[in-house]
Amino acid sequence: MALTVNDVDRFEAFRPRLEALAYRLLGSASEAEDAVQETFLRWQAAGTGHIRVPEAWLTKALTNLCLNQLTSARARRETYVGHWLPEPLLAGDPMLGPADTAEQRESVSYAVLALLERLSPGERAVYVLRAAFDYPHREIAEILDITEASSQQIYHRAKKHVADGRTRAEIDMAAARRVVDEFLAAATTGETEPLVRLLTEDAVAIGDGGGKVPARAKAFEGALAVAKFMRGLFKPAKAKRDMVGGSPEVHVTSANGGPAIVAVIDGRVVGVMCLEITAEGISAFRNQANPDKLTRATRRWAAEDHGEPLFHAF
């Protein structure tokens, strides 16, 4: 059934919100775009004459598509090579969605997106709809075909799971940037001790290469192990340059609202390292190097002038 110009315009006006919702539910920008496009096709096939509240209809359709996707994704991720990490979004990406409240900003942080992988699809949907988009439980119940009481219970359980994984508060961006600068200065000295002092005792380093870029299957755990890994990561080596196709430019920016180190070769983003920084030090490094999850970051990087790099790695 053909849509009117008004129908298409209404969908396009709502598209950014749908994409932001799908990204939080799936942790993948490319899969989010596909889910939104499928929602449009269903909107087109359904006809809009009988739909009283289009935004509610679209939200329900998209959420259910994402729930189905999450269920199948769990099976795929069991065979994923190495760690699975979300697709990072660089500063200014419209898919980051609403960021008016602390809870909305936290819901799209890289650390929380990684934690959401621990939730069931239903828990994740309730958490995202409530925390990121402030839907009342009555509407969440209608979207997910559950009771309002169930929505409240699921949300409290999901919120507790997320809180349990984040026991320390992060610091503001200005202070975080100073820590990142100190980290890079220490990492390029080739010495371990300066790095250890910047890390929490239980610091971790996780990488996602997707089987296409070398990444250790087991996370590095503990300040000393992480410091030794970072020292080696920034140590110049011809083999590294050959592997990635050159000597990456290193920039500091933000991804998913938090501090990030971006490696770029000839305008192509080859790595985004998201740092979790607390008052006690750097508690986590999550490095996305899978090229399939960096295409949107590359497009976003090309849209702005980032100035001169801090230095060239390797």
Side-chain angles (χ1 to χ4, degrees):
M1 184 178 294
L3 296 177
T4 67
V5 172
N6 285 341
D7 290 334
V8 175
D9 288 346
R10 191 158 194 174
F11 182 90
E12 291 304 321
F14 201 55
R15 181 188 288 272
R17 185 176 177 89
L18 291 174
E19 288 188 342
L21 171 59
Y23 171 70
R24 283 169 166 83
L25 288 173
L26 299 172
S28 165
S30 58
E31 290 179 6
E33 290 173 335
D34 291 344
V36 171
Q37 188 58 31
E38 178 61 28
T39 301
F40 176 78
L41 295 176
R42 294 193 178 194
W43 165 256
Q44 184 179 40
T48 61
H50 67 287
I51 298 175
R52 290 183 296 128
V53 186
E55 288 79 3
W57 189 96
L58 290 168
T59 300
K60 183 180 179 72
L62 175 73
T63 301
N64 283 309
L65 278 169
C66 289
L67 285 173
N68 291 335
Q69 181 79 358
L70 281 171
T71 301
S72 61
R74 288 200 160 206
R76 291 199 309 274
R77 287 170 193 172
E78 287 178 1
T79 59
Y80 191 81
V81 179
H83 287 274
W84 187 96
L85 288 175
E87 183 175 346
L89 297 181
L90 299 183
D93 194 310
M95 198 176 278
L96 289 168
D100 298 327
T101 68
E103 197 162 33
Q104 287 174 335
R105 291 189 292 273
E106 183 178 65
S107 72
V108 79
S109 72
Y110 208 64
V112 166
L113 285 179
L115 286 171
L116 292 183
E117 289 296 306
R118 303 179 183 180
L119 304 183
S120 69
E123 288 174 333
R124 185 166 184 161
V126 171
Y127 179 85
V128 167
L129 288 166
R130 180 64 183 158
F133 295 91
D134 202 28
Y135 279 94
H137 286 290
R138 174 181 54 80
E139 292 184 26
I140 296 174
E142 293 173 358
I143 291 170
L144 299 177
D145 294 323
I146 58 178
T147 66
E148 187 172 345
S150 292
S151 176
Q152 293 171 337
Q153 291 169 359
I154 293 170
Y155 176 67
H156 288 307
R157 185 167 65 242
K159 190 175 181 180
K160 184 178 185 303
H161 286 326
V162 173
D164 287 345
R166 289 171 62 79
T167 57
R168 293 173 294 225
E170 295 187 18
I171 60 178
D172 65 75
M173 282 297 291
R177 175 57 195 260
R178 290 193 293 271
V179 173
V180 174
D181 289 341
E182 288 182 43
F183 162 74
L184 288 172
T188 53
T189 64
E191 298 179 11
T192 303
E193 184 55 35
L195 283 169
V196 171
R197 289 198 296 267
L198 292 170
L199 309 179
T200 61
E201 289 184 5
D202 58 352
V204 297
I206 306 168
D208 179 349
K212 300 184 177 183
V213 174
R216 191 169 185 258
K218 190 177 185 302
F220 291 91
E221 299 180 350
L224 183 58
V226 172
K228 288 181 177 179
F229 166 66
M230 290 298 166
R231 183 191 64 189
L233 182 64
F234 285 91
K235 186 177 181 180
K238 182 178 182 300
K240 295 177 187 175
R241 294 192 293 272
D242 292 343
M243 180 182 67
V244 298
S247 181
E249 298 177 350
V250 175
H251 297 259
V252 175
T253 183
S254 82
N256 294 76
I261 299 168
V262 178
V264 183
I265 296 178
D266 297 328
R268 176 173 56 92
V269 175
V270 296
V272 177
M273 180 183 289
C274 297
L275 287 74
E276 190 172 356
I277 303 177
T278 72
E280 290 78 34
I282 306 173
S283 60
F285 299 87
R286 296 179 177 91
N287 185 37
Q288 184 55 261
N290 184 344
D292 294 342
K293 298 182 184 180
L294 295 172
T295 54
R296 186 179 179 95
T298 295
R299 293 199 304 269
R300 182 68 201 171
W301 189 261
E304 296 183 4
D305 179 13
H306 299 275
E308 292 298 313
L310 294 178
F311 58 88
H312 285 75
F314 311 156

